[in-house]
Amino acid sequence: MHVLIVLSTVFLLYNDVRSEQENVNVDNTTELQETTKLSENDRARENLTKLLDNIIFNYDNSLRPGMTGPPLTVKVDMFLLSIGPLIEQNKEFYVEVFFRQRWADERLRYSNGTAFKVLPLNSVLLESIWYPDTFFHNDRNSKGHDIIVPNRLVRIYPDGEVLYTQRLTVLTECGLNFKKYPHDTQVCSISMGSNTYSESDVVFQWKYEDSDNKSVDIDLGDSKDIRLSQFTLLGWKTIRTTKPSSRIGNRTVLTVNFELKRNIGLFIIQTYVPCSMMVVISWISFWINREATPARISLAILTILTITTLSLTATSSLPQVSYVKAIDVFIFDCFCFVFAALIEFAFVSYFTKRRGGTLPEMDDEDDNLIRCEEELDIARNGKYKNSTSPKFKIKTPPEYKTTLYYQCCYDVLMCFIGSFTYRQKRARKIKIGQDFNSVSIIDQWARVVFPVTFIITNIIYWLTFGVL
């Protein structure tokens, strides 16, 4: 029995010693691995430093790669972060982009056996290597972003290929044509190339030369298209051309054209609808009594002044151009109609009788005869009857309800219809000596001719500028 107890104790002690030894071995292995990792990181940093020193050592950044060989090819692509605004007064166009350039430099090659597949450089080390002297041909005031640090990225690959990316806000000149304004489609471009190198030294190419427009990409976000405050981006096109120069030789020029379609909704609300309403308001004078000269003159002048104010407001944000714009045609058309309404009243005043109480087809003697008969009726009975003169028999229209509501509706209806019989009846009811509210045949024609003509001119305008 005692022997069993001793054996059990010895076995337990053996297991404890063995467990402690295993733990010590694990700790030693972990420490060794950590030491190895630290050594690898130190070696990597040391190797990277040596690699960069070897690359930069004896490197002349004033000389382009392959000075004695064929021209260097620089491939360009862009990623657009935002477009606009387009400042029409100054003919300027804003674009914020990531501008990327790629080229090969044999002097920057390094072995593939290193732990680094790509060498990242900061903006300080960028000044130690050669990079293209790219500039924008139609630039006005572009700038690079330096907040919080310069927004530039440089990568060097084992084969010597260099990637250089910058974040830029480009302000370029945009040649705008306002002949179809505000139904216009504008094309704004960004052109770039080398400042000093000709095609015999440096050739610029789009990264995807064989694919249409893939060299320029746009961050759409959650939207399906890019919309500015007044424009919609329809598309873009990349072009590569050659700019001849007798001073330094021909130079390659890369151009991307952005097609922008103007949104017309704002102009419909602020210009087209108000101008059309002013024209319609000027037609009210055709239904106003021709003897009411102050009312008709005031209405015509008010509409003319309003059209003039709308014209100045519609073109205030545009540069001074010598040609006629589409919106000028519409406003001039509206101005002609409101001015014609004023001229129409001048014709009404000149070619019709202005004497109070005169009926159409009446001469002064007949009018005096009727007035004398009415005075006799009033003197005898205290009221007058419809004239019984054989030459002027006035038919009385059917009796209508005498309530004020139906009488007002009837009066408004007869006014718009222009019933001659209704006006004859009212002429006999007025007091002796009061002006007669007669209707000119010119007003009757104007009520039809003016609206029809305005509709026809609008159809021609929208077919010419709004559709084509």
Side-chain angles (χ1 to χ4, degrees):
M1 184 69 180
H2 293 287
V3 175
L4 292 174
I5 293 173
V6 172
L7 291 175
S8 299
T9 303
V10 172
F11 181 74
L12 292 174
L13 290 173
Y14 173 77
N15 288 335
D16 291 340
V17 172
R18 186 176 178 182
S19 299
E20 289 179 4
Q21 178 128 21
E22 290 178 354
N23 291 334
V24 170
N25 293 334
V26 170
D27 293 339
N28 292 335
T29 303
T30 304
E31 291 178 1
L32 182 60
Q33 291 177 350
E34 292 177 356
T35 304
T36 304
K37 288 182 179 179
L38 291 175
S39 300
E40 289 178 356
N41 292 334
D42 291 339
R43 285 197 298 270
R45 285 193 294 268
E46 184 178 354
N47 292 337
L48 177 59
T49 303
K50 291 181 179 180
L51 181 59
L52 292 176
D53 290 340
N54 292 332
I55 291 176
I56 302 303
F57 184 71
N58 291 331
Y59 187 97
D60 190 353
N61 59 1
S62 63
L63 301 177
R64 71 167 181 86
M67 280 293 296
T68 59
L72 176 68
T73 300
V74 179
K75 296 184 178 180
V76 176
D77 67 293
M78 294 191 297
F79 182 79
L80 275 67
L81 299 175
S82 64
I83 299 179
L86 194 156
I87 305 175
E88 296 165 332
Q89 188 71 35
N90 301 328
K91 295 186 177 181
E92 295 176 342
F93 178 61
Y94 279 94
V95 177
E96 183 179 357
V97 300
F98 279 124
F99 184 65
R100 301 170 181 148
Q101 301 176 87
R102 291 177 172 84
W103 68 92
D105 191 342
E106 295 181 354
R107 296 172 294 180
L108 300 179
R109 286 183 178 181
Y110 61 93
S111 174
N112 288 329
T114 61
F116 299 96
K117 301 301 181 183
V118 178
L119 292 181
L121 300 181
N122 58 23
S123 58
V124 177
L125 291 176
L126 174 65
E127 303 302 328
S128 301
I129 66 173
W130 180 92
Y131 55 90
D133 58 342
T134 309
F135 82 109
F136 296 99
H137 290 265
N138 53 349
D139 173 56
R140 284 196 173 180
N141 189 20
S142 300
K143 65 177 182 178
H145 292 262
D146 296 327
I147 306 298
I148 300 175
V149 295
N151 296 175
R152 296 189 291 183
L153 178 146
V154 182
R155 296 288 185 267
I156 300 177
Y157 296 89
D159 59 353
E161 181 181 355
V162 183
L163 169 63
Y164 178 32
T165 301
Q166 296 173 276
R167 183 187 173 197
L168 304 174
T169 296
V170 183
L171 175 60
T172 64
E173 180 182 0
C174 183
L176 302 177
N177 189 333
F178 296 104
K179 289 185 177 180
K180 296 187 68 176
Y181 177 89
H183 310 275
D184 53 335
T185 299
Q186 302 294 346
V187 177
C188 294
S189 62
I190 300 177
S191 299
M192 67 209 75
S194 176
N195 184 34
T196 58
Y197 292 104
S198 65
E199 283 187 329
S200 60
D201 293 316
V202 176
V203 175
F204 281 82
Q205 292 182 356
W206 290 108
K207 181 182 177 181
Y208 303 100
E209 194 77 16
D210 299 333
S211 302
D212 293 337
N213 308 326
K214 284 187 178 181
S215 298
V216 178
D217 197 6
I218 297 180
D219 183 13
L220 296 177
D222 297 332
S223 60
K224 295 182 179 179
D225 55 3
I226 293 289
R227 288 183 177 270
L228 288 72
S229 57
Q230 289 190 20
F231 294 89
T232 299
L233 179 63
L234 300 181
W236 60 91
K237 184 176 180 59
T238 55
I239 304 173
R240 182 166 72 97
T241 58
T242 300
K243 182 178 181 181
S245 175
S246 59
R247 182 172 57 89
I248 64 171
N250 299 338
R251 288 182 291 178
T252 307
V253 178
L254 300 182
T255 304
V256 53
N257 295 324
F258 299 98
E259 188 176 5
L260 303 170
K261 173 66 176 177
R262 192 184 302 274
N263 301 322
I264 199 175
L266 176 66
F267 300 93
I268 291 178
I269 297 173
Q270 292 188 348
T271 303
Y272 288 101
V273 171
C275 287
S276 301
M277 292 301 297
M278 287 299 104
V279 174
V280 174
I281 290 174
S282 69
W283 298 341
I284 297 177
S285 63
F286 304 150
W287 279 269
I288 297 178
N289 177 13
R290 67 177 178 178
E291 284 79 16
T293 302
R296 297 188 67 163
I297 292 293
S298 300
L299 182 61
I301 294 177
L302 176 64
T303 52
I304 290 175
L305 293 178
T306 305
I307 290 289
T308 304
T309 304
L310 290 173
S311 173
L312 296 176
T313 304
T315 58
S316 60
S317 62
L318 300 179
Q320 305 259 341
V321 294
S322 59
Y323 48 82
V324 178
K325 302 178 288 294
I327 197 169
D328 295 334
V329 175
F330 181 84
I331 295 176
F332 180 75
D333 180 55
C334 294
F335 183 86
C336 289
F337 273 93
V338 297
F339 185 75
L342 178 62
I343 300 300
E344 185 268 350
F345 176 64
F347 277 88
V348 170
S349 299
Y350 184 80
F351 290 105
T352 59
K353 291 185 178 182
R354 297 300 308 278
R355 181 182 175 277
T358 303
L359 288 173
E361 301 180 2
M362 260 189 200
D363 55 25
D364 294 341
E365 294 180 359
D366 294 331
D367 186 42
N368 292 333
L369 178 61
I370 293 176
R371 285 184 178 275
C372 290
E373 293 178 357
E374 291 174 350
E375 290 175 358
L376 291 175
D377 288 337
I378 294 174
R380 294 174 182 175
N381 305 322
K383 60 181 180 179
Y384 68 86
K385 300 179 182 179
N386 290 335
S387 174
T388 56
S389 174
K391 187 175 180 180
F392 300 98
K393 292 184 179 181
I394 302 174
K395 296 182 180 180
T396 303
E399 295 296 331
Y400 287 83
K401 295 185 178 181
T402 58
T403 61
L404 180 62
Y405 174 77
Y406 288 103
Q407 185 62 38
C408 290
C409 293
Y410 175 67
D411 291 342
V412 172
L413 179 62
M414 291 297 104
C415 176
F416 277 98
I417 294 176
S419 174
F420 181 69
T421 305
Y422 170 78
R423 290 184 176 275
Q424 285 180 320
K425 180 180 178 181
R426 287 185 62 85
R428 301 280 71 82
K429 291 182 178 180
I430 61 177
K431 296 179 181 180
I432 301 300
Q434 182 176 347
D435 289 343
F436 170 60
N437 188 13
S438 59
V439 179
S440 170
I441 189 66
I442 299 178
D443 281 339
Q444 293 178 350
W445 276 97
R447 295 171 187 175
V448 178
V449 173
F450 273 68
V452 172
T453 308
F454 185 68
I455 292 174
I456 292 175
T457 56
N458 266 269
I459 292 175
I460 295 174
Y461 172 85
W462 288 102
L463 288 177
T464 303
F465 296 103
V467 178
L468 300 181

